[in-house]
């Protein structure tokens, strides 16, 4: 699912990934929640609640307002105000609506899983949700065309997202003639964005993961001001970078361990690479050329 940045739908929070219920029910429930939230101007606290609800879409119809408040890390009155902002009389009315439109399925039995297995199961659920989102390939295909056409192509990722940006840039450089990795912050970051724009860049790809550095939001805002189209891979449609992005592609992170896991954003990055290759007519020739050079140099151990 892509997000149109015409509305104010920014600011996210690290949520409880959970294991969820039935896969199909989880995916359809998340889609219904996203549709419910779209078009509403929500406060940062309310967007925090919305993000938590999407992450636990199959379970939300069965949570009390107190439980949802604890899940989102907000107060119980904030949950009530959130329901009213969506057009309901209160949280009971919102929950009743969600129960009416959500099929009832038995909760997955994860009692026998230890904490490490639960983290893996949650990550598998994130990948399944990504697969359902990619059932509509048009947002990724559009992003691929934008990235392929940008010469040079700046790729931004700071702190936790730096490895995602590095991985994408490493592979993209094999098929794209000019990829510029922006994985270090500081006062030079805006200068490097300006330099890319002056050199002819038309788009910038950003990987944005929790916790979201303020510097990334500032950099994307600056990139848009220079005329670049900002494509962002983020952990949520409600992430703080959303307002500064022209095309946002969400891929959830796992939060069951001490440090977040980012299998879904990494895979989405590889999918974007594939879409970009489709927009580069000489991509295959470049790959074959690289393989020939690598073989001549004995670069890899067979």
């Amino acid at each position: 699912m892509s997000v149109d940045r015409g509305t104010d739908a920014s600011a996210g929070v690290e949520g409880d990934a959970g294991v969820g219920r039935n896969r199909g029910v989880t995916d359809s429930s998340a889609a219904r929640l996203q549709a419910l939230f779209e078009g509403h101007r929500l406060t940062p606290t309310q967007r925090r609640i919305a993000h938590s609800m999407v992450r636990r879409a199959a379970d939300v119809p069965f949570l009390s307002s107190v439980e949802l408040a604890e899940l989102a890390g907000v107060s119980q009155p904030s949950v009530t105000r959130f329901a009213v902002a969506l057009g309901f009389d209160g949280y009971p009315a919102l929950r009743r609506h969600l129960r009416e439109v959500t099929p009832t399925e038995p909760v997955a039995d994860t009692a026998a899983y230890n904490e490490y297995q639960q983290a893996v199961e949650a990550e598998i659920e994130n990948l399944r949700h990504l697969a359902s989102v990619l059932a509509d390939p048009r947002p990724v295909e559009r992003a691929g065309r934008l990235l392929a056409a940008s010469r040079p192509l700046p790729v931004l990722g700071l702190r936790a997202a730096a490895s995602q940006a590095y991985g994408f840039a490493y592979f993209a450089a094999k098929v794209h003639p000019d990829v510029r990795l922006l994985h270090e912050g500081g006062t030079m970051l805006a200068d490097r964005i300006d330099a890319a724009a002056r050199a002819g860049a038309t788009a910038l790809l950003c990987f944005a993961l929790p916790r979201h550095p303020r510097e990334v939001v500032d950099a994307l805002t600056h990139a848009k001001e220079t005329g670049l189209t900002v494509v962002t891979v983020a952990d949520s449609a409600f992430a703080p970078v959303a307002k500064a992005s022209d095309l946002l592609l969400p891929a959830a992170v796992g939060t069951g361990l001490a440090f977040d896991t980012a299998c879904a954003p990494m895979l989405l990055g590889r999918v974007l690479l594939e879409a970009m290759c489709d927009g580069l007519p000489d991509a295959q020739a470049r790959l074959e050329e690289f393989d020939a050079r690598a073989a001549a140099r004995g670069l890899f151990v067979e």
Side-chain angles (χ1 to χ4, degrees), residues 147 167-169 171-173 175 268-278:
L147 303 182
F168 182 95
F171 290 112
V175 294
L268 181 52
R270 298 299 187 267
V271 170
L272 271 176
L273 277 168
E274 186 75 12
M276 187 183 74
C277 286
D278 292 339

Side-chain angles (χ1 to χ4, degrees), residues 156-158 189 206-208 212-221 241:
L156 171 65
L158 302 183
L189 183 55
C206 175
F207 288 88
H212 294 277
R214 184 181 304 276
E215 192 171 14
V216 172
V217 179
D218 294 340
L220 296 187
T221 301
V241 294

Side-chain angles (χ1 to χ4, degrees), residues 24-36 53 57-58 60-62 88 93-105:
V25 172
T26 301
D27 294 341
S28 60
S29 298
R32 276 191 292 268
L33 283 172
Q34 292 281 11
L36 179 64
M53 291 178 69
V60 163
F62 309 95
F88 296 92
L94 170 59
R95 186 172 65 173
R96 186 164 54 251
H97 169 75
L98 295 178
R99 287 181 175 180
E100 290 172 353
V101 299
T102 301
T104 302
E105 293 287 340

Side-chain angles (χ1 to χ4, degrees), residues 66 72 94 122 127 135 151 187 231 270 291:
V66 173
L94 170 59
L127 291 173
R151 312 290 177 87
T187 57
V231 177
R270 298 299 187 267
D291 285 341

Side-chain angles (χ1 to χ4, degrees), residues 35-290:
L36 179 64
F37 302 147
E38 288 177 359
H40 294 279
R41 295 186 62 85
L42 304 177
T43 67
T45 296
Q46 290 167 349
R47 292 193 292 269
R48 183 182 184 124
I49 298 170
H51 175 51
S52 298
M53 291 178 69
V54 170
R55 294 294 302 277
R56 291 286 293 274
D59 300 320
V60 163
F62 309 95
L63 299 179
S64 67
S65 60
V66 173
E67 290 171 328
L68 178 56
E70 291 177 351
L71 177 64
V74 301
S75 67
Q76 189 275 336
S78 294
V79 172
T80 300
R81 289 192 291 270
F82 171 73
V84 172
L86 294 179
F88 296 92
D89 293 337
Y91 180 73
L94 170 59
R95 186 172 65 173
R96 186 164 54 251
H97 169 75
L98 295 178
R99 287 181 175 180
E100 290 172 353
V101 299
T102 301
T104 302
E105 293 287 340
V107 177
D109 181 14
T110 60
Y113 292 160
N114 61 41
E115 60 179 310
Y116 309 127
Q117 290 176 302
Q118 289 177 14
V120 172
E121 288 294 324
E123 201 71 332
I124 291 172
E125 197 63 37
N126 287 339
L127 291 173
R128 285 172 172 162
H129 182 260
L130 176 60
S132 72
V133 168
L134 292 174
D136 179 5
R138 289 173 297 179
V140 168
E141 291 171 349
R142 179 191 169 204
R145 291 191 297 269
L146 289 169
L147 303 182
S150 183
R151 312 290 177 87
L153 172 60
V155 180
L156 171 65
L158 302 183
R159 293 185 178 268
S163 61
Q164 305 293 327
Y166 179 88
F168 182 95
Y170 171 79
F171 290 112
K174 298 183 184 301
V175 294
H176 193 288
D178 190 355
V179 178
R180 302 189 182 185
L181 176 62
L182 309 178
H183 66 302
E184 295 180 348
T187 57
M188 294 290 292
L189 183 55
D191 294 341
R192 297 179 69 188
I193 292 173
D194 288 341
R198 285 196 301 270
T202 55
L204 177 146
L205 173 62
C206 175
F207 288 88
L209 301 178
R211 299 175 62 184
H212 294 277
R214 184 181 304 276
E215 192 171 14
V216 172
V217 179
D218 294 340
L220 296 187
T221 301
H222 180 74
K224 291 190 67 173
E225 290 172 351
T226 64
L228 298 181
T229 299
V230 174
V231 177
T232 302
V233 173
D235 59 300
S236 165
F238 303 96
V241 294
K243 208 162 57 171
S245 303
D246 295 295
L247 177 60
L248 188 145
L249 304 169
V253 301
T255 59
L257 302 175
F259 298 100
D260 290 346
T261 52
C263 293
M266 181 187 71
L267 181 55
L268 181 52
R270 298 299 187 267
V271 170
L272 271 176
L273 277 168
E274 186 75 12
M276 187 183 74
C277 286
D278 292 339
L280 294 168
D282 58 347
Q284 186 59 40
R286 285 178 176 271
L287 286 175
E288 292 175 358
E289 180 183 355
F290 172 80

